[in-house]
Amino acid sequence: MFSNFGTFVPFILQGLTTTVMVFLYGALIAYSIAIVAGLMRTSQYGVVRSIAAVFVELFRGTSLLVQMFFLYYALPQLIDGLNMSLMLAGSLAVGLNYGAYASEVVRGAINSIHVGQTEAAISLNMTRFQRLRLVILPQAFRLMLPGFGNNAIELLKGTSLVYFIGLADLTFNANVLRGSNTAISSQVEIYTYLLFAYFLLALPLIFLARYLEKRVSKGVSTS
């Protein structure tokens, strides 16, 4: 057992670029969506809040895997001329799904800002946009960071599902190896290497999330 390191690991790591690209694209989509949807959830207009709520509950309440299947297989059939690549479908599904979860981090952070901050800004004749930009968001953003860090770790793990739609990531390559190495010892070896590959990718994010949690806790304790 574990005698095929030089053969298995290089083959699995051929999917590293794809995994990292899906993560980066997905994170960009997720945090853009999170900020927009989170702000919409705190809007003074009921219609805006309702639209954001429907989006958030739709993507939180359905399977990420099903969302990938829908975006890649079903959506192009519903919209004539739409060409959905594997990378786009995978990244978009991951981004929308985890963006919906992260939007709750944004909403919670904004709502946690003491009402006195808003009242003080109103007393200075600030517009709603000025209050949001100059008073609320700078304080809320600090509170969002730990949640965003934890969300990034979950997002990275979620990228392993893109192999179901045929994207050649780490998991896809590991399963290709499994198909040609049917011995139990080989399969144990393959998935052990895969496990450590994702752990090593997530390790910087884990340390970053812990660092941000400490920074926020320090800020709260000294305020």
Side-chain angles (χ1 to χ4, degrees):
M1 190 177 292
F2 300 103
S3 60
N4 298 298
F5 181 89
T7 302
F8 289 169
V9 171
F11 187 85
I12 292 173
L13 291 182
Q14 289 178 17
L16 178 61
T17 299
T18 299
T19 294
V20 172
M21 288 178 63
V22 173
F23 169 75
L24 293 177
Y25 292 151
L28 179 62
I29 295 170
Y31 295 130
S32 299
I33 289 291
I35 293 172
V36 173
L39 290 174
M40 290 175 67
R41 292 293 298 272
T42 63
S43 172
Q44 60 182 329
Y45 302 108
V47 173
V48 175
R49 292 197 305 271
S50 297
I51 293 173
V54 169
F55 163 79
V56 170
E57 298 309 325
L58 174 64
F59 282 93
R60 289 203 309 169
T62 55
S63 165
L64 172 57
L65 183 57
V66 174
Q67 292 165 18
M68 286 184 188
F69 286 150
F70 178 83
L71 289 174
Y72 186 67
Y73 294 109
L75 192 59
Q77 303 300 319
L78 297 175
I79 303 176
D80 291 335
L82 178 63
N83 184 19
M84 186 74 69
S85 68
L86 288 171
M87 179 62 70
L88 178 58
S91 301
L92 189 58
V94 169
L96 290 172
N97 185 275
Y98 287 95
Y101 284 97
S103 70
E104 290 296 283
V105 175
V106 175
R107 183 179 67 88
I110 292 175
N111 288 339
S112 69
I113 303 302
H114 195 276
V115 67
Q117 299 285 332
T118 301
E119 293 173 349
I122 292 174
S123 69
L124 294 174
N125 292 322
M126 288 185 178
T127 64
R128 179 175 174 81
F129 177 73
Q130 288 175 325
R131 297 196 302 268
L132 189 65
R133 182 173 63 89
L134 299 176
V135 178
I136 298 175
L137 281 182
Q139 298 179 72
F141 185 70
R142 176 175 59 84
L143 302 177
M144 295 175 199
L145 290 177
F148 279 178
N150 290 325
N151 186 267
I153 297 170
E154 295 299 321
L155 192 153
L156 174 63
K157 293 186 290 186
T159 63
S160 63
L161 294 178
V162 299
Y163 95 90
F164 279 106
I165 59 174
L167 205 53
D169 68 331
L170 293 170
T171 305
F172 181 94
N173 286 357
N175 281 304
V176 170
L177 276 178
R178 180 185 60 82
S180 57
N181 295 271
T182 56
I184 294 178
S185 60
S186 295
Q187 294 185 17
V188 171
E189 187 174 0
I190 289 167
Y191 287 115
T192 300
Y193 294 147
L194 180 64
L195 185 73
F196 276 99
Y198 277 105
F199 174 72
L200 291 175
L201 279 176
L203 201 57
L205 299 176
I206 294 171
F207 287 134
L208 177 60
R210 290 179 179 175
Y211 170 77
L212 293 175
E213 288 175 1
K214 290 180 180 179
R215 291 283 294 180
V216 169
S217 298
K218 181 180 179 180
V220 171
S221 65
T222 58
S223 60

